[in-house]
Amino acid sequence: MAVVSWMEILLLTGLVVGCYWNSLSCGFVFDDVSAILDNKDLRPATPLRNLFLNDFWGTPMVEERSHKSYRPLTVLTFRLNYLFSELSSASYHLLNVGLHSVVCVLFLRFCRLFLDKTSSLVAALLFAVHPIHTEAVTGVVGRAELLSSIFLLAAFLAYTRSNGADQSIVWTPIAVTVVLVAAATLCKEQGITVIAICCVHEVFVAQGFTLPMLLDTLLQVLRGKDGFPYAVLQTLLKLIVLIISTLLLVIIRVQVIQSQLPVFTRFDNPAAVSPTPARQLTFNYLLPLNAWLLLNPSELCCDWTMGTIPLVESPLDLRNLATLAFYSLLGLLAFHSLRHSHSSAKTVLMALSLIVLPFIPASNLFFPVGFVVAERVLYVPSMGFCVLVAHGFRIVSHKRHLRKISWLMIGVLLATHAVKTFNRNWDWESEYTLFTSALKVNKNNAKLWNNVGHALENQNNYEKALRYFLQATRVQPDDIGAHMNVGRTYKNLNKSKEAEDAYLVAKSLMPQIIPGKKYATRVAPNHLNVYINLANLIRTNDSRLEEADQLYRQAISMRPDFKQAYISRGELLLKMNKPLEARDAYLRALELDSTNADLWYNLAIVNIEMKEPSEALKNFNHALELNPRHKLALFNSALLMQESGEPRFRPEANRRFLTYVQEEPDDANGYFNLGMLAMDANENTAAERWMREAIRLQTGFRSALFNLALLYSQSRRELDALPVLDELLRHHPEHVKGLILKGDILMNHKKDTQGAKVCFQRILSMDPTNVQGKHNLCVVYFEERDLPRAERCLEETLALAPHEEYVRRHLGIVRGKMAAMSVAGQPLNPASAEGAEEGRGATGSAGAGSKKNVRKSSSAESLSGNSQSELLDDGQADKQQRTKSKSTKEIKDIEKKRAAALKRLEEIERILSGD
């Protein structure tokens, strides 16, 4: 075996890097979204064994909706990428470029077995730059092709060492070959075809047989004239080992997919559901079409499904000529290479083996696949194509008069392919660039119009996205997904009537239930989402909740394992105040998927509604065991711990809020609740820092502003609280508690009775029945020495709250004071109270003290539960459902503060009576 030099390795690697370096700036597009962004198997929290239980996209193999693409080793490399760089796309693309370089070097080693040094290098260079490979190299999911090709080539190269110097069998390379074949198959299914390539090599290359020789030997044996030669017996033994290994791998593979083929629809592969002869004619026409893409990769497209390639429905279709020409050329090459034993024939035969055998699983000829044409599946067949080109180049270049022109042509070919590959990479920069480039090639594929719409939708450009979705419905009027997209976009544009109409059109296109026939096998599972989407739309109208529930139940009846239907129905049942039924729906969904963190989270929300906090916390913890960074579970479990009032929960609640703000650094609610925890722990400096951060992120954050002001007030920093209260009231002028606290500070610390009076009067202008504001205004009158007005004010307050004893006592005190002053001949009107400086000072002091304490008594009653009520009503208004009742700790705190308030009232009465 000719050795590959370091210079050649560097040349190939440099060429690959030169062609693909711009792919590092590309993101995750098309199938990358499902395989990388949405695949939980990449996350460290997912057990490694799940990689061997789920398909390439993270769906359990046992589920019907699984694509049955079993590639755990490929997913393992994605997981390693995630471990080092999480979702940084550059690292994924960099590894793909590196793997493509490895394939090129191994392919050069392969070529050295059948071509001379120069032509084998030409084949490797052409393979390195061929534009057909951009989908396999620049598309991250194409890594399955790259890894499978590495193991495929390594298995073949190992097998070529299985013949000893004395023509004996060397079993170690064969054992290594079987292991490498298994690895190739675990990267992508086509890897198993290398065994057939090894068989072809063993019979026609290693043993030197031709087809006539084999037929002659077989006839001799059948006639009894001679037995099998020893060389033939050795070959048969090796082939039997390879075949048994293949059968074992196939059996294991069938067991893994539960003996079920994946469910595809006519939209994925129209010919697969077409009648005879359209199905056969179309599938056979696809062969020359794929060959043309290898020969002339000028118009490449990321998606060839749906209406891209019209069906060949008649034998008179002119495209059948292309099929006939392809089979004729292929037959001539095969016939020539099988009849002769010279090196040229062996080279052509091995090239044909690489073209044909790895392509068979994707050919649709033996079983349908989920696509019509896919450029990435031509990655291995292109090796055979490159060998044929290089072989032809060798033949032509050996003719003296054609040597220069052959080198010129191969140079132009390599240069144009390299430029095309480099430019093609830019198409994969984003989903928008990818799908718009595809539309330039093919405008008859509704999926492409839909995907451009999706890309625009992700940019919140709904108006433009709608135009593409509507065009998709015109290109393919029976495309259920397109009508669903139209409905969803209308919904995003707040056009509910148009959205409902679009969903109803999609629903009308769904296949009707046929008694005795399994529904799920006749429709794409994601199309059943039309029922979910329609129900989600109409349930915004409270009068149509039953109708929405009927749609959910209809989806479940069509597909009993439709997990999303149970989830959505559970949410609806909660809205309908049916928590027991909601719990049953979530428990049924958990039976289908107990590893779904979202389901455990939703079940916890049901527990909260059912006043089961301990069960809720337990289910929140289940969700976090499955996904330690589940944001809503982190937030709401921490909130539940905080509301429990248990000091032992405080550190864990703090840790979860900290983790939450790491995940959602721009969500002010997380910082606000950290501030509340710090206030509970009397960590005022930390509380101030968190509240300030919450206010910075959310201007006018009602709860954070008020509680920060309250924090300053409780820390004897009342003057620092005033600007915070001013900001609060600028954004929320109706905030009663803020007005009360501001009035208190103005009265007691700024001695600004007029400012305090304005605050309390504003409260009463908004709510004339507000007892607290009314009472505090009475205190202002008392402070202003206007006892008759204070008396009238307290009488009005008592009429509003006849059961409030402290108001009654204060009224009695004021009346007693007025009687004493009348007996002493002192004026009751503040305007006539000039002079008597000593008496006014004494009374003013008592009055100020009285006001301060009376104000705080009422304020204490109001503010005692305020921080927690603000926390629930304002701080998390945008969060999912949670309990609105006060925790035991809150109630105890309120009672303590009420007791303190009553104690202060007694002191006020003592002071006033003494005065």
Side-chain angles (χ1 to χ4, degrees):
M1 181 184 299
V3 178
V4 176
S5 69
W6 281 106
M7 289 298 294
E8 290 170 326
I9 293 175
L10 290 175
L11 174 62
L12 286 171
T13 303
L15 188 59
V16 168
V17 171
C19 287
Y20 286 99
W21 70 264
N22 58 335
S23 69
L24 301 186
S25 63
C26 297
F28 295 114
V29 298
F30 205 13
D31 290 339
D32 298 345
V33 176
S34 300
I36 309 296
L37 299 182
D38 299 338
N39 193 345
K40 295 179 182 178
D41 287 346
L42 272 63
R43 279 47 173 182
T46 303
L48 273 174
R49 62 184 179 85
N50 281 25
L51 272 64
F52 297 89
L53 299 175
N54 299 341
D55 66 14
F56 187 54
W57 317 97
T59 305
M61 294 292 292
V62 297
E63 292 190 12
E64 237 177 323
R65 62 191 179 94
S66 169
H67 281 218
K68 311 301 180 185
S69 46
Y70 189 64
R71 304 163 191 173
L73 293 187
T74 303
V75 180
L76 181 61
T77 66
F78 292 152
R79 184 163 175 144
L80 292 174
N81 268 121
Y82 188 91
L83 183 65
F84 286 105
S85 63
E86 293 194 349
L87 294 176
S88 172
S89 60
S91 72
Y92 293 79
H93 289 295
L94 179 62
L95 184 53
N96 272 24
V97 173
L99 292 173
H100 182 51
S101 300
V102 174
V103 175
C104 291
V105 173
L106 289 174
F107 179 57
L108 179 57
R109 289 285 297 270
F110 174 90
C111 292
R112 289 281 157 85
L113 297 174
F114 313 105
L115 297 169
D116 60 32
K117 186 174 182 178
T118 301
S119 55
S120 60
L121 182 59
V122 167
L125 291 173
L126 179 58
F127 179 79
V129 303
H130 203 295
I132 203 71
H133 299 155
T134 51
E135 183 172 344
V137 181
T138 309
V140 177
V141 295
R143 187 176 300 175
E145 312 290 339
L146 305 175
L147 289 170
S148 180
S149 298
I150 288 174
F151 288 115
L152 182 147
L153 290 170
F156 179 83
L157 293 173
Y159 184 78
T160 59
R161 298 175 178 269
S162 63
N163 289 323
D166 56 352
Q167 297 303 311
S168 61
I169 300 175
V170 182
W171 290 105
T172 300
I174 295 177
V176 172
T177 297
V178 173
V179 172
L180 291 172
V181 170
T185 306
L186 291 175
C187 293
K188 191 173 182 185
E189 298 77 5
Q190 70 182 28
I192 200 171
T193 60
V194 70
I195 290 182
I197 298 173
C198 290
C199 291
V200 172
H201 178 269
E202 178 64 31
V203 174
F204 297 103
V205 179
Q207 301 302 327
F209 287 108
T210 62
L211 188 59
M213 290 172 60
L214 284 177
L215 293 174
D216 184 60
T217 302
L218 183 61
L219 286 174
Q220 293 293 334
V221 171
L222 290 176
R223 291 171 181 171
K225 294 183 178 181
D226 197 2
F228 283 108
Y230 180 71
V232 174
L233 291 175
Q234 278 195 315
T235 301
L236 285 174
L237 180 59
K238 293 172 73 174
L239 294 180
I240 288 170
V241 171
L242 292 177
I243 291 170
I244 291 175
S245 302
T246 304
L247 290 175
L248 286 175
L249 289 173
V250 170
I251 291 171
I252 293 172
R253 184 69 174 81
V254 170
Q255 289 296 317
V256 166
I257 66 173
Q258 307 290 311
S259 302
Q260 294 177 340
L261 288 175
V263 177
F264 298 118
T265 69
R266 59 190 175 85
F267 301 110
D268 299 314
N269 191 344
V273 295
S274 299
T276 302
R279 180 170 66 253
Q280 291 78 10
L281 292 175
T282 303
F283 283 155
N284 280 280
Y285 169 69
L286 296 180
L287 301 179
L289 181 62
N290 279 279
W292 178 249
L293 288 175
L294 288 174
L295 189 63
N296 179 31
S298 60
E299 292 188 341
L300 299 178
C301 182
C302 63
D303 191 286
W304 296 78
T305 57
M306 303 190 83
T308 303
I309 302 171
L311 296 174
V312 182
E313 298 179 298
S314 168
L316 300 178
D317 193 311
L318 293 178
R319 288 175 292 174
N320 290 316
L321 295 176
T323 306
L324 184 61
F326 172 79
Y327 276 115
S328 299
L329 179 60
L330 188 66
L332 286 173
L333 290 173
F335 181 76
H336 168 77
S337 58
L338 289 171
R339 280 186 59 86
H340 301 90
S341 59
H342 50 73
S343 62
S344 177
K346 293 178 181 179
T347 300
V348 172
L349 182 61
M350 291 309 300
L352 292 177
S353 299
L354 272 177
I355 292 173
V356 175
L357 297 175
F359 186 73
I360 287 176
S363 66
N364 282 292
L365 294 177
F366 299 98
F367 48 83
V369 293
F371 53 84
V372 180
V373 173
E375 292 163 13
R376 62 179 175 268
V377 303
L378 293 174
Y379 190 77
V380 176
S382 70
M383 295 179 187
F385 171 78
C386 291
V387 170
L388 286 178
V389 173
H391 181 53
F393 165 77
R394 181 180 65 174
I395 294 172
V396 173
S397 63
H398 283 175
K399 299 181 183 297
R400 182 173 300 179
H401 62 286
L402 295 177
R403 180 175 301 173
K404 289 184 179 180
I405 193 170
S406 63
W407 276 103
L408 177 63
M409 291 178 64
I410 204 68
V412 170
L413 181 65
L414 292 174
T416 54
H417 275 29
V419 171
K420 171 66 176 177
T421 296
F422 184 82
N423 289 332
R424 173 65 172 156
N425 289 333
W426 292 121
D427 292 341
W428 292 79
E429 185 175 15
S430 68
E431 293 208 319
Y432 182 77
T433 57
L434 179 64
F435 296 125
T436 51
S437 71
L439 280 176
K440 295 174 184 176
V441 176
N442 170 37
K443 290 182 170 57
N444 296 321
N445 186 339
K447 189 174 180 181
L448 294 176
W449 292 99
N450 280 321
N451 285 333
V452 175
H454 287 309
L456 292 167
E457 189 179 30
N458 292 335
Q459 300 170 10
N460 296 326
N461 191 346
Y462 299 122
E463 291 285 356
K464 192 172 181 181
L466 180 61
R467 292 200 293 271
Y468 280 89
F469 290 141
L470 289 172
Q471 180 61 25
T473 64
R474 287 189 283 267
V475 170
Q476 186 93 31
D478 59 350
D479 181 8
I480 297 172
H483 291 285
M484 290 170 62
N485 292 335
V486 171
R488 186 181 61 255
T489 309
Y490 273 130
K491 181 182 178 183
N492 290 331
L493 291 170
N494 296 318
K495 296 181 178 180
S496 300
K497 178 63 172 64
E498 292 85 348
E500 183 174 350
D501 291 341
Y503 285 139
L504 289 173
V505 172
K507 182 172 174 284
S508 69
L509 294 171
M510 295 287 285
Q512 298 301 310
I513 297 177
I514 301 174
K517 188 167 184 180
K518 202 169 186 180
Y519 189 88
T521 61
R522 298 183 298 108
V523 66
N526 62 313
H527 284 171
L528 284 173
N529 282 324
V530 66
Y531 294 95
I532 306 300
N533 295 346
L534 181 56
N536 291 344
L537 176 67
I538 66 175
R539 79 182 195 185
T540 57
N541 184 342
D542 289 344
S543 66
R544 302 180 70 184
L545 297 183
E546 290 293 344
E547 186 180 347
D549 189 33
Q550 178 62 33
L551 286 167
Y552 290 136
R553 283 184 278 134
Q554 187 175 355
I556 291 170
S557 68
M558 293 176 175
R559 192 179 184 91
D561 64 345
F562 193 9
K563 180 176 59 183
Q564 186 56 47
Y566 291 104
I567 295 173
S568 298
R569 184 167 186 252
E571 295 170 357
L572 175 67
L573 291 168
L574 272 179
K575 185 175 181 179
M576 297 171 70
N577 198 25
K578 297 179 179 180
L580 286 174
E581 292 183 46
R583 183 179 62 183
D584 292 342
Y586 288 133
L587 289 174
R588 174 67 182 117
L590 282 168
E591 290 176 10
L592 299 171
D593 184 7
S594 61
T595 63
N596 189 313
D598 293 334
L599 284 174
W600 288 106
Y601 168 81
N602 288 348
L603 185 58
I605 297 299
V606 174
N607 294 136
I608 289 177
E609 289 295 318
M610 296 176 68
K611 307 291 190 294
E612 299 173 345
S614 59
E615 284 297 313
L617 187 57
K618 187 186 302 181
N619 289 324
F620 279 138
N621 292 338
H622 271 304
L624 291 171
E625 287 171 8
L626 294 167
N627 181 6
R629 294 190 172 273
H630 191 290
K631 289 179 284 192
L632 287 175
L634 282 167
F635 185 92
N636 287 290
S637 63
L639 185 63
L640 191 61
M641 291 176 176
Q642 181 183 4
E643 291 174 350
S644 72
E646 293 285 346
R648 61 191 175 92
F649 284 147
R650 195 172 292 157
E652 178 61 17
N654 193 71
R655 186 194 69 78
R656 293 188 184 187
F657 277 133
L658 286 171
T659 305
Y660 175 79
V661 297
Q662 290 174 2
E663 294 294 307
E664 289 287 343
D666 297 327
D667 186 358
N669 291 287
Y671 299 98
F672 168 70
N673 282 286
L674 282 168
M676 295 304 300
L677 274 175
M679 287 181 69
D680 291 342
N682 294 320
E683 298 173 357
N684 292 344
T685 303
E688 180 183 359
R689 184 177 73 253
W690 294 126
M691 292 295 183
R692 286 287 183 191
E693 182 63 17
I695 294 166
R696 183 188 69 80
L697 290 170
Q698 184 177 323
T699 303
F701 192 162
R702 173 188 174 108
S703 302
L705 285 166
F706 177 75
N707 282 283
L708 179 59
L710 186 62
L711 173 67
Y712 286 146
S713 178
Q714 293 172 347
S715 306
R716 300 183 183 279
R717 297 170 58 187
E718 287 85 355
L719 297 183
D720 290 336
L722 279 178
V724 179
L725 288 168
D726 288 339
E727 184 179 353
L728 170 66
L729 294 171
R730 184 169 66 254
H731 292 285
H732 308 284
E734 78 293 345
H735 198 287
V736 173
K737 309 306 178 188
L739 288 167
I740 288 176
L741 184 57
K742 182 180 179 181
D744 178 45
I745 295 173
L746 290 174
M747 190 71 178
N748 293 307
H749 299 279
K750 298 280 287 184
K751 305 304 179 184
D752 181 3
T753 56
Q754 288 302 314
K757 183 189 293 186
V758 169
C759 291
F760 301 139
Q761 286 175 339
R762 189 190 301 177
I763 293 171
L764 294 175
S765 68
M766 293 184 293
D767 180 11
T769 63
N770 188 291
V771 175
Q772 185 178 353
K774 186 77 171 177
H775 176 268
N776 287 358
L777 182 60
C778 301
V779 174
V780 172
Y781 294 148
F782 184 87
E783 179 68 19
E784 292 176 340
R785 316 297 291 170
D786 191 347
L787 296 184
R789 195 170 185 181
E791 180 187 23
R792 291 194 302 272
C793 180
L794 285 169
E795 288 173 347
E796 293 170 1
T797 306
L798 186 62
L800 292 173
H803 302 295
E804 292 289 352
E805 287 299 322
Y806 74 93
V807 178
R808 190 182 305 277
R809 286 198 298 271
H810 290 176
L811 178 59
I813 290 170
V814 170
R815 285 174 173 170
K817 183 72 173 176
M818 293 173 64
M821 292 178 68
S822 295
V823 171
Q826 296 177 0
L828 300 180
N829 192 312
S832 60
E834 298 177 1
E837 184 65 25
E838 184 179 349
R840 190 179 68 81
T843 306
S845 174
S850 154
K851 184 268 162 192
K852 181 175 180 179
N853 285 290
V854 172
R855 167 67 190 89
K856 284 195 173 181
S857 70
S858 56
S859 176
E861 290 177 314
S862 172
L863 296 179
S864 61
N866 188 74
S867 63
Q868 291 297 329
S869 65
E870 291 284 349
L871 172 65
L872 290 173
D873 297 339
D874 296 325
Q876 288 83 44
D878 58 340
K879 296 297 174 185
Q880 291 196 5
Q881 297 181 20
R882 57 179 59 84
T883 178
K884 298 182 187 298
S885 62
K886 294 187 179 295
S887 67
T888 304
K889 178 178 181 298
E890 288 178 281
I891 295 171
K892 290 180 179 177
D893 287 346
I894 292 172
E895 294 302 326
K896 288 179 181 178
K897 292 175 181 177
R898 286 185 184 277
L902 289 174
K903 186 175 181 180
R904 287 195 294 273
L905 283 175
E906 293 173 0
E907 184 179 352
I908 293 168
E909 294 170 7
R910 180 180 59 78
I911 294 171
L912 290 175
S913 299
D915 186 72

